[in-house]
Amino acid sequence: MTRRSVTAQYPDAQPELPPRTRGVIGLFEENCTVCMLCARECPDWCIYIDSHKETVPPAAPGGRERSRNVLDRFAIDFSLCMYCGICIEVCPFDALFWSPEFEYAETDIHELTHERDKLREWMWTVPAPPALDPAAEEPKEIAAARKAAEKLAAKAEAEAAEAAETYADGDPNRKGDA
């Protein structure tokens, strides 16, 4: 309130956006498994996915053939999208990301449906995730795994110490003594 307001002359001066600004959605196609979660959870039904199944030969001889989904079409209609981010949140394989790009206006509404090639291009503008806070609490999963590993290491160390003690005492019940 104590400072004068400043009008940014937008086309000439680009605005300084916050680091994780929501602009457009980018697709990392290699991570997409065509699980359809994003399309099912979208409240606007603006995500269109088409796929087909392919048979994959067995990895080892005598193995079983597997089938996998192959992505044929992935499109988002940004004229319908309300930018809620539900699709990005529910994606279990991190195939969708927010890009800060916001200048993608079109003169024809039909051109606001971005197919997978256009969505892939937006991935180049996705910023790297912020660095982890060094003072943050360790995730529960990592803490539990670390505790289990420490218990196993302590148990193995105790067994090794016991075996060394038994060997040093010259126990007659030990195999190899005559």
Side-chain angles (χ1 to χ4, degrees), residues 40 53-54 62:
R40 276 185 281 174
K53 289 192 181 273
E54 278 185 358

Side-chain angles (χ1 to χ4, degrees), residues 25 46-48 74-78 81 96 112-115 119:
I25 297 170
C46 65
I47 300 175
Y48 309 108
F74 193 105
I76 299 177
D77 188 351
F78 287 107
C81 183
L96 297 173
L112 283 173
T113 301
H114 294 187
E115 297 292 332
L119 295 172

Side-chain angles (χ1 to χ4, degrees), residues 86-149:
I86 293 174
C87 57
I88 295 169
E89 294 297 320
V90 300
C91 182
F93 301 104
D94 289 335
L96 297 173
F97 294 91
W98 282 117
S99 168
E101 295 297 316
F102 62 93
E103 299 176 310
Y104 55 95
E106 299 289 344
T107 56
D108 184 12
I109 196 168
H110 298 295
E111 293 177 18
L112 283 173
T113 301
H114 294 187
E115 297 292 332
R116 71 181 185 183
D117 297 332
K118 183 70 174 170
L119 295 172
R120 188 182 315 118
E121 289 176 23
W122 293 121
M123 280 303 296
W124 292 105
T125 63
V126 172
L132 297 176
D133 184 5
E137 186 177 306
E138 186 177 40
K140 294 175 193 171
E141 297 86 0
I142 294 175
R146 187 178 40 74
K147 282 183 182 179

